[in-house]
């Protein structure tokens, strides 16, 4: 079975968990304060511990490997990281090493942001330009603040609803980019014809 790719947005206060299983992408909002915003987008609302339980069940069944990218995601998992840390492969260091080896022999650019989408773009696997983690964290902060002030997703301004949509899009793009660069740099998998 193909690996699962995980991306978690929200920093120390996790909010959106993106999971990519092959070509099937799922987003789960793991912050109850954002429940109304999750429902407005047709997303499932859960808790991070419950989702980690599901990932552990998936790992126990031997159905897949789970890849994440970088210390930020591990930090976002917080205390839950200890539960799954030995069972989830953080691809960031291996990807950086493989990229550096290719960069020495070719014309690959030096990266200023170590994010999955940055590597995928540099390798020519995607042209998607996503926002930095800092920008996405600001978007999330703005959405949370306005929900607190106005009482729900329906009362958000168009601009703030747009920030929520862009955050969700960036979360999916990070998962898909992680899948692309993991296949390209780390896994020996047949390319689709």
């Amino acid at each position: 079975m193909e690996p699962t790719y995980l991306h978690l947005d929200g920093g120390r206060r996790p909010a959106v968990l993106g999971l990519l299983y092959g070509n099937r992408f799922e987003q789960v909002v793991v912050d109850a304060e954002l429940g109304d915003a999750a429902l407005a987008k047709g997303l499932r609302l859960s808790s991070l511990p419950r989702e980690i339980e599901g990932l552990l069940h998936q790992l126990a069944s031997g159905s897949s490997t789970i890849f994440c990218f970088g210390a930020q995601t591990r930090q976002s998992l917080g205390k839950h990281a200890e539960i799954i840390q030995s069972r989830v492969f953080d691809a960031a260091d291996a990807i950086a090493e493989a990229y550096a080896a290719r960069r020495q022999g070719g014309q690959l650019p030096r990266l200023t942001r170590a994010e999955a989408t940055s590597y995928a773009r540099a390798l020519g696997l995607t042209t998607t330009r996503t926002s930095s983690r800092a920008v996405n964290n600001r978007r999330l902060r703005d959405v949370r603040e306005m929900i607190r002030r106005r009482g729900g997703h329906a009362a958000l301004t168009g601009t703030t609803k747009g920030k929520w949509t862009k955050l969700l899009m960036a979360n999916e793009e990070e998962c898909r980019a992680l899948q692309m660069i993991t296949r390209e740099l780390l896994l020996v998998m047949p390319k689709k014809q």
Side-chain angles (χ1 to χ4, degrees), residues 37-58:
L39 293 175
K41 290 291 188 178
L43 300 177
R44 191 163 52 86
L45 177 64
S46 187
S47 69
L48 190 55
R50 184 175 298 132
E51 292 306 307
I52 288 175
E53 229 175 82
L55 290 171
L56 287 171
H57 179 73
Q58 178 183 333

Side-chain angles (χ1 to χ4, degrees), residues 91 102 136:
R102 278 204 188 172
N136 288 327

Side-chain angles (χ1 to χ4, degrees), residues 47-101:
S47 69
L48 190 55
R50 184 175 298 132
E51 292 306 307
I52 288 175
E53 229 175 82
L55 290 171
L56 287 171
H57 179 73
Q58 178 183 333
L59 288 168
S61 69
S63 61
S64 121
T65 301
I66 298 175
F67 287 95
C68 70
F69 189 86
Q72 290 283 342
T73 299
R74 283 195 314 271
Q75 184 182 28
S76 295
L77 289 170
K79 65 182 178 191
H80 308 291
E82 296 170 14
I83 299 169
I84 62 172
Q85 192 169 23
S86 63
R87 319 239 349 243
V88 176
F89 181 67
D90 177 0
D93 291 339
I95 286 169
E97 188 176 305
Y99 181 83

Side-chain angles (χ1 to χ4, degrees), residues 113 116-122 124-131 169-170 172-174 176-177 180:
R113 288 182 10 209
T117 50
S118 299
Y119 283 103
R121 208 171 33 260
L125 302 173
T126 183
T127 57
T128 303
R129 285 193 130 4
T130 60
S131 304
M169 288 169 49
E172 180 174 0
E173 289 163 357
E174 281 294 316
R176 293 195 184 281
M180 285 186 270

